[in-house]
Amino acid sequence: MRDVAIIGVKNTKFGELWERSLRDIVVEAGIGAIEDTSVSGKDIDALYVGNMSGGRFIDQEHIGALIADYSGLSRNLHVPATRVEAACASGGLALRQAIMSVASGYSDIVVAAGAEKMTDVGSEEAASALAAAADREWEGMAGATFPGLYAMIAKLHMHKYGTTSEQLAEVAVKNHKNGYFNPIAQYKNKITVDDVLNSIMVADPLHIFDCSPITDGASALVLAPADVAHKYTDTPIYIKATAQASDTIALHDRRDITTLDATVVAAKRAYSMAKLKPEDIDLVEVHDCFTIAEICAIEDLGFAEKGKGGIVTENGETAIGGRIPVNTSGGLKACGHPVGATGIKQAVEIVTQLRGDAGKRQVAGAKYGMTHNVGGSGATAVIHIFSRER
Amino acid sequence: MSSVPRFWRSLGSRYNLEGTHCKECGEYFYPPRNVCVNCRRMGELESFKFKGTGEIVTYTLIHTAAEGFENQAPYTLAIIKLDEGPQLTSQVIGDSEKMHIGMRVKSVFRKLGEDGDRGMIYYGTKFIPADA
């Protein structure tokens, strides 16, 4: 297997992009990532696109071909294009497929993109599409919603470990603070713990400010074999690990409702592949679809002792400047969560940080970064570790 | 909220709280599984009717309802551990203020929802406090 590097990155603006279509934003991200390198269209060997639910959000399937077409990679170049779906982990998984494609030697230059256009349908229809990432027959039929599933995780975490609503709120407060410094973020407003606690209750104990929003957005990366990466960029960022794990699709079948075993296992595989420990990681983008998800993530990834995720957050250890900065982009909560794009956006943020280009949200001297992308309530977890040095 | 075929093929399980039991390793499954997750192809599954008693593992009061459940909001959704071992997701009917982790519950046969004014009515299992 060959070492793989990321040589180009680009995010579109995240938010309610009513005047733009899915193909518009993907092309902007794809071309932007290519322009970030000296690669040209004819160099591209393959395209992988993370997209969760084009069929329901924009009534369009066959997204791989659509995107290749509108990126100008189809009619003359006939670049193979593959859509990858794993609910909200679709982007992370598209990146993993792209890495494997380059590492195996089947491809050299590969574009990994992710995109979702969620605001073309009403919020109820969007919620219904998202609910399809859970077990429709045995969770959905009982009236489960995604906030409801994560609320049940939160309730048990509070019961077992004494985690408080205030600690959950601190996750949202921190991520909004980080998002304030991210030019592409959906929300640029700083919020307080009281704002979270006074916002309407969606599923007890989760308030609406504990939840990530409905978002339009696209992100793209260009990958190359590490040996030739310097030909295309002065600042290649190297992939040290790619790992994926699955768990039961229904939350009720888990070994422990408050632990995402898919994350634990994927993290173990990733650390082993990279020959690194949690203490070596300088910053991490975790899947904070709900505030409780970030608390569980930092525990499951080894950045906090099990049950201490709330306290660690409250103490500021996950803030920029803290022991392990989490979600410097603003996370899913403030930067936004276009479900198919999220896993790619996380990687764009880590690459930007490792290049030292993150401006006011820069983590000083960052060498190793990690992304953690989850599908559903934890049935899929995809983890990547990136490094400034090969 | 569902589709007739999807609902129809699980009627026995929904109406009678019927799952499966692996004769090889002894584990019980609800919802039913076709393959034992422990023994996989070596397992031997038989159908099994659960008593319907258990306890709340965790729960939430849902204010923003799932599509088709708008009339029921707010409603309590819970993960319930049946006494035979498996866990399932179901609504618990009763005073939401009195719900708590560890609360004993028992199954009841209830209407789950309907396909609009003229569509199919879905029935199945919900839970109530065991002392009710």
Side-chain angles (χ1 to χ4, degrees):
Chain A
M1 283 209 302
R2 303 190 290 183
D3 286 348
V4 181
I6 294 180
I7 56 173
V9 299
K10 173 72 178 177
N11 288 318
T12 64
K13 175 91 184 67
F14 278 21
E16 293 175 349
L17 311 177
W18 290 343
E19 72 289 1
R20 308 193 62 198
S21 70
L22 182 80
R23 59 187 87 189
D24 292 340
I25 58 177
V26 179
V27 168
E28 181 193 333
I31 303 273
I34 291 165
E35 283 176 350
D36 193 28
T37 73
S38 60
V39 164
S40 72
K42 63 176 174 20
D43 299 323
I44 297 169
D45 293 322
L47 170 62
Y48 289 89
V49 186
N51 177 261
M52 173 179 165
S53 209
R56 297 200 57 180
F57 287 124
I58 58 167
D59 219 357
Q60 174 74 59
E61 306 287 12
H62 213 172
I63 301 284
L66 175 85
I67 289 168
D69 183 2
Y70 275 79
S71 306
L73 298 174
S74 285
R75 199 161 57 184
N76 299 314
L77 297 170
H78 305 288
V79 169
T82 308
R83 171 188 175 175
V84 179
E85 191 273 323
C88 310
S90 299
L93 208 46
L95 170 57
R96 182 168 153 77
Q97 303 311 308
I99 292 168
M100 293 193 296
S101 173
V102 177
S104 70
Y106 266 100
S107 314
D108 289 325
I109 306 297
V110 174
V111 175
E116 209 78 47
K117 187 78 184 62
M118 302 172 72
T119 64
D120 287 17
V121 297
S123 58
E124 275 181 16
E125 212 177 325
S128 173
L130 293 171
D135 186 331
R136 181 68 83 180
E137 287 194 47
W138 298 103
E139 292 181 309
M141 275 296 296
T145 59
F146 255 101
L149 294 174
Y150 275 92
M152 290 197 287
I153 296 175
K155 188 74 116 182
L156 191 55
H157 204 280
M158 290 169 149
H159 177 80
K160 280 172 86 167
Y161 303 115
T163 305
T164 64
S165 289
E166 286 77 8
Q167 289 168 348
L168 296 182
E170 292 284 5
V171 171
V173 171
K174 167 183 69 71
N175 291 350
H176 272 253
K177 201 172 162 190
N178 293 351
Y180 181 79
F181 294 112
N182 187 352
I184 67 139
Q186 181 166 12
Y187 296 129
K188 315 278 287 176
N189 58 321
K190 292 183 184 173
I191 57 170
T192 64
V193 167
D194 279 345
D195 290 336
V196 180
L197 298 181
N198 292 327
S199 67
I200 63 162
M201 193 69 93
V202 175
D204 177 53
L206 300 181
H207 299 80
I208 193 142
F209 278 20
D210 285 296
C211 308
S212 57
I214 300 287
T215 310
D216 303 326
S219 303
L221 304 162
V222 184
L223 285 72
D227 284 343
V228 298
H230 268 287
K231 239 171 78 182
Y232 303 106
T233 179
D234 294 334
T235 52
I237 297 299
Y238 300 95
I239 309 284
K240 298 307 283 183
T242 172
Q244 178 190 354
S246 64
D247 201 347
T248 64
I249 190 152
L251 182 63
H252 58 233
D253 274 333
R254 302 280 164 81
R255 177 188 62 84
D256 169 10
I257 304 288
T258 63
T259 302
L260 275 65
D261 276 346
T263 296
V264 174
V265 171
K268 201 174 153 199
R269 290 172 184 165
Y271 287 128
S272 153
M273 188 174 180
K275 299 187 179 64
L276 293 168
K277 296 190 289 296
E279 307 85 83
D280 300 321
I281 306 296
D282 297 305
L283 79 158
V284 58
E285 286 283 302
V286 307
H287 198 90
D288 60 320
C289 48
F290 300 94
T291 50
I292 183 63
E294 179 168 318
I295 303 271
C296 291
I298 59 175
E299 295 172 356
D300 297 344
L301 294 169
F303 300 120
E305 201 181 309
K306 190 71 212 169
K308 298 279 172 62
I311 294 167
V312 161
T313 305
E314 194 173 34
N315 291 346
E317 293 178 47
T318 56
I320 294 171
R323 176 173 59 84
I324 173 74
V326 177
N327 286 332
T328 56
S329 71
L332 284 52
K333 173 70 192 88
C335 189
H337 183 26
V339 282
T342 287
I344 302 287
K345 180 224 79 181
Q346 293 177 323
V348 172
E349 175 68 11
I350 297 295
V351 169
T352 306
Q353 287 277 356
L354 296 183
R355 285 174 172 180
D357 289 342
K360 286 189 170 165
R361 60 182 201 288
Q362 181 65 45
V363 173
K367 278 173 66 182
Y368 295 111
M370 176 187 256
T371 57
H372 162 255
N373 191 198
V374 171
S377 64
T380 297
V382 188
I383 294 176
H384 288 102
I385 300 176
F386 306 83
S387 168
R388 212 166 57 191
E389 280 152 27
R390 189 165 168 187
Chain B
M1 65 178 279
S2 183
S3 66
V4 174
R6 190 157 52 188
F7 193 83
W8 193 256
R9 65 173 176 256
S10 60
L11 266 193
S13 296
R14 293 189 190 282
Y15 283 8
N16 303 318
L17 211 60
E18 213 172 80
T20 45
H21 169 237
C22 179
K23 289 204 270 189
E24 194 63 35
C25 70
E27 187 162 346
Y28 295 90
F29 299 101
Y30 188 89
R33 286 182 179 260
N34 306 62
V35 176
C36 173
V37 301
N38 304 318
C39 313
R40 298 196 292 278
R41 280 183 301 163
M42 303 302 287
E44 199 185 334
L45 290 171
E46 60 180 359
S47 94
F48 180 84
K49 189 173 183 320
F50 291 93
K51 285 201 309 280
T53 51
E55 65 175 48
I56 293 180
V57 175
T58 183
Y59 69 99
T60 176
L61 186 64
I62 294 195
H63 294 266
T64 305
E67 196 179 9
F69 290 83
E70 295 82 359
N71 296 338
Q72 301 176 37
Y75 54 91
T76 300
L77 186 78
I79 290 178
I80 291 150
K81 187 178 176 66
L82 297 172
D83 290 337
E84 294 89 344
Q87 301 188 153
L88 63 108
T89 302
S90 183
Q91 288 187 33
V92 180
I93 313 160
D95 186 351
S96 63
E97 296 282 310
K98 290 186 181 152
M99 303 287 169
H100 59 89
I101 289 171
M103 187 170 91
R104 295 287 303 166
V105 291
K106 61 184 179 191
S107 65
V108 289
F109 188 70
R110 287 287 185 277
K111 179 178 162 182
L112 297 181
E114 58 202 338
D115 268 347
D117 292 340
R118 295 179 182 194
M120 178 173 172
I121 299 174
Y122 300 105
Y123 294 94
T125 303
K126 291 189 181 180
F127 285 79
I128 57 171
D131 55 13

